[in-house]
Amino acid sequence: MKRIAFILAIFITGFCKAETGYELWLRYQPIANAQYVNACKQLIRSLEIKGTSPTLRAARSELERGLNGMLRINLPLSHSGSILLGKPENIPAITPAIKEQLSKAGTEGFLIKTITIGGKNRILIAGNTDQALLYGVFHFLRLIQTEQPVRQLDILSVPRSPLRLLNHWDNPDRTIERGYAGFSLWQWNNLPAYIDQRVIDYARANASIGINGTVLTNVNANALILTPEFLQKVKALADVFRVYGIKTFLTARFSAPIEIGGLKTADPLDPAVREWWKKKADSIYQLIPDFGGFLVKANSEGQPGPQDYERTHADGANMLAEALAPHKGIVMWRAFVYSHTSDDRFKQAYEEFKPLDGKFSSNVLVQVKNGPIDFQPREPFSPLFGAMPATPLMMEFQLTQEYLGQSTHLVYQATLYKETLDADTYTNGKGSPVSSTLSGFAGVANIGNDLNWCGHPFAQSNWYALGRLSWDYTLSSETIATEWIKQTFTPQPAFVQPVLKMMMRSRELLVNYMTPLGLTHMMYNDHHYGPMPWGNTLNRPDWNPVYYHKADKAGIGFNRTGSGSNALRQYAAPVQQQFENIDNCPDDYLLWFHHASWDHKMQSGRTLWDELCYRYHTATDSVRAMQQQWKSLQRFVDAERFSHVQQMLAIQASEAAWWRDACLLYFQTFSGKPFPAGYEQPKHDLEYYKDLRIHLTY
Ligand code: BDP
């Protein structure tokens, strides 16, 4: 019996052909469910396509590739194809009701609808632009790859946000700041003459999830990108991206007029500087007529900016906005600033930007990180959301897991994104979630030239989630994860269900084995990998972990109430009320806002010290359980990806224990309390963990 089971297992895994992960969620593998395939085959036999633009050619080739892969259908062109792809003006048979539906689709929304023409059922994929049609095709393929019924379709899907961008922190030498998945996709040396297939596949993947813009370069910007030589290379990439509905953006180094323009100043009010930027913008638009605009990090972490000339962020942004405006370009000006003079880094962005509300030109957006500090495993939402009603704001999430285990730990971040998007700002009364305050989304990309793009096989899900959520932030994390699992691995429920559970819990586990209960920024200096709660050697206090947790004999946590830094005051009153009383502040945020005593009674009934021990231990145990869970799913996954995830989970499990032991031993030096009975003992003493030196190279 055992022998048969063994042979069967080999037989089944034999079907899972080795995969590198390169295909992402666009694998289009043959669908095993014969009934489903037959049902599709009755409905899908040929294609009528209205138009011949490069975008429509891409849509057609994607349809052919997808249907051929999944259903083994060769899709001939026909004058009355069972799939009809086109814009309303090209479809004579279109009814007023459909026209009415499409009038709500804007320039990017699409309609997928079963219609009857001449007594024949057809699947109409329609939209008002070619880009919308491409989105419709990708959605249709998603329906099939996730084995959704396609018999009676009536789907109108319109993006909720007009700007859905990736931000690459890629340098001209192809290193990637905070990149954990290889080197940059942009092969500057071979551009513009050579276009790597990867660039095309990158564009396909983005279009499939609705991403419509990409910033190619690091926010810690290099003016080189704005030189004529590099702009030719950028143009070559932009020409590819345009086909897939993706606009190209660049980061603008504020001091570029000095560095590559030969000027003596970059003062935004200096006429020569303004003229330089106008000419620069004109020259870019000559090459790239649909260039998106600039993303700028200014006067932050050593970057130049308008404050170098005693001008404001608004002065700087508006100067660039003026240069871009004639071409309909935009400026995304980052609000990631913090100065060494502030008593609480939490407050800095709000203090600098809130007074500038209403002072920015109409083509400037202020781009705000999700939380007030810096992409930590859990942060409350940034108080700027909802606080600048006269300024369009963009959300910046970090897909690349700088502070979340980089490309080693399995963390599905959609739950983090949703937690922020759904948080109520109360700025227009109850029911004003962060999502309602946004005009756009940006995700700091986790993409490099690793075989599987993102390093960890599950990191792809964060790229996927960013696209899907910026298209529709009302989608749930579960829905997005389910789609992703089905397409990336298999739609078999016996696989989807447990993996969904793993993904949904993964971020919470990470919070609990790294920085539970509202602890924050306790990672190693510089590379931010591994625990260093004792860190206090960097010359700016707000770069040191001890600044954030403030552990002492009395307790732990950062008092941001009225008796402390009073950062809480930056939120609307009902949000303040959620957090300001130590006795009912939610456990997950307690140490963000309070310096609580070690004996503080938590909502669980445990003392703070016991709760800390409980969280660190249970999270570590849960990572081990996740390892076992994955092991039990081997038969569903090809050997390569199975083993990749398995090896990563083993590292994650041992590193969770490292975090647990290093942090608890260190905090014990303040609490003076024993570890509660029944817990695994630390493997080493505190000095051992303090002496560990972690050198990372990627
Ligand atoms: C920090 C990163 C740093 C980035 C900075 C930013 O450590 O590499 O340059 O964010 O967002 O988290 O500008």
Side-chain angles (χ1 to χ4, degrees), residues 169 177-178 220 297 301 334 336 369 374 402-403:
W169 287 359
E177 177 145 351
R178 311 306 179 183
N220 294 323
K297 170 176 179 178
E301 298 184 329
R334 294 176 89 228
F336 177 65
K369 288 189 181 183
D374 197 358
E402 176 179 355
Y403 299 92

Side-chain angles (χ1 to χ4, degrees), residues 580-601:
E580 75 191 347
N581 181 342
I582 191 166
D583 292 322
N584 56 25
C585 176
D587 287 355
D588 286 340
Y589 294 94
L590 183 74
L591 307 181
W592 265 102
F593 296 108
H594 298 277
H595 189 71
S597 96
W598 295 107
D599 289 322
H600 173 80
K601 240 325 198 289

Side-chain angles (χ1 to χ4, degrees), residues 254-255 257-258 263-275 277 305-312 315-316 319:
F254 203 78
S255 49
I258 303 173
L263 300 188
K264 294 250 160 354
T265 174
D267 181 350
L269 299 192
D270 184 297
V273 173
R274 298 177 86 86
E275 196 48 35
W277 280 109
Q307 292 175 346
D308 302 346
Y309 308 94
E310 287 168 25
R311 313 295 185 199
T312 68
D315 293 329
M319 170 193 64

Side-chain angles (χ1 to χ4, degrees), residues 10-167:
I10 295 193
F11 185 64
I12 295 171
T13 21
F15 272 122
C16 302
K17 78 171 172 56
E19 291 191 51
T20 59
Y22 180 86
E23 278 75 21
L24 296 159
W25 47 88
L26 302 174
R27 290 161 57 248
Y28 305 139
Q29 289 298 299
I31 292 177
N33 176 347
Q35 222 184 339
Y36 183 78
V37 171
N38 286 335
C40 288
K41 280 186 164 165
Q42 282 174 14
L43 297 167
I44 305 168
R45 287 178 309 275
S46 54
L47 170 69
E48 178 176 358
I49 182 165
K50 301 287 197 183
T52 55
S53 70
T55 302
L56 281 185
R57 281 206 296 278
R60 177 180 162 195
S61 115
E62 198 70 32
L63 257 183
E64 285 172 348
R65 175 186 193 144
L67 297 179
N68 192 296
M70 294 185 288
L71 306 172
R72 296 281 180 242
I73 294 176
N74 282 315
L75 203 64
L77 284 183
S78 141
H79 284 307
S80 59
S82 49
I83 300 179
L84 170 56
L85 185 66
K87 291 182 278 205
E89 65 267 26
N90 298 332
I91 307 174
I94 207 155
T95 63
I98 296 178
K99 267 201 178 145
E100 165 70 20
Q101 273 185 298
L102 281 170
S103 70
K104 298 189 192 104
T107 54
E108 297 183 298
F110 58 82
L111 178 68
I112 306 181
K113 195 176 173 84
T114 308
I115 56 169
T116 316
I117 301 179
K120 240 180 88 185
N121 263 0
R122 304 178 72 182
I123 297 170
L124 171 71
I125 304 179
N128 297 316
T129 62
D130 291 348
Q131 183 186 352
L133 292 176
L134 181 65
Y135 289 150
V137 161
F138 274 115
H139 192 78
F140 181 64
L141 290 170
R142 173 158 50 236
L143 293 178
I144 297 179
Q145 203 168 198
T146 55
E147 297 184 21
Q148 303 300 304
V150 288
R151 182 159 291 281
Q152 276 307 326
L153 294 168
D154 193 0
I155 300 168
L156 177 69
S157 182
V158 186
R160 288 178 191 269
S161 170
L163 290 166
R164 308 179 298 277
L165 267 59
L166 286 181
N167 288 181

Side-chain angles (χ1 to χ4, degrees), residues 660-669 675 682 684-686 689:
R660 176 195 69 191
D661 294 344
C663 293
L664 287 177
L665 284 168
Y666 170 71
F667 290 134
Q668 190 179 42
T669 64
F675 297 132
H684 306 279
D685 63 10
L686 178 58
Y689 293 107

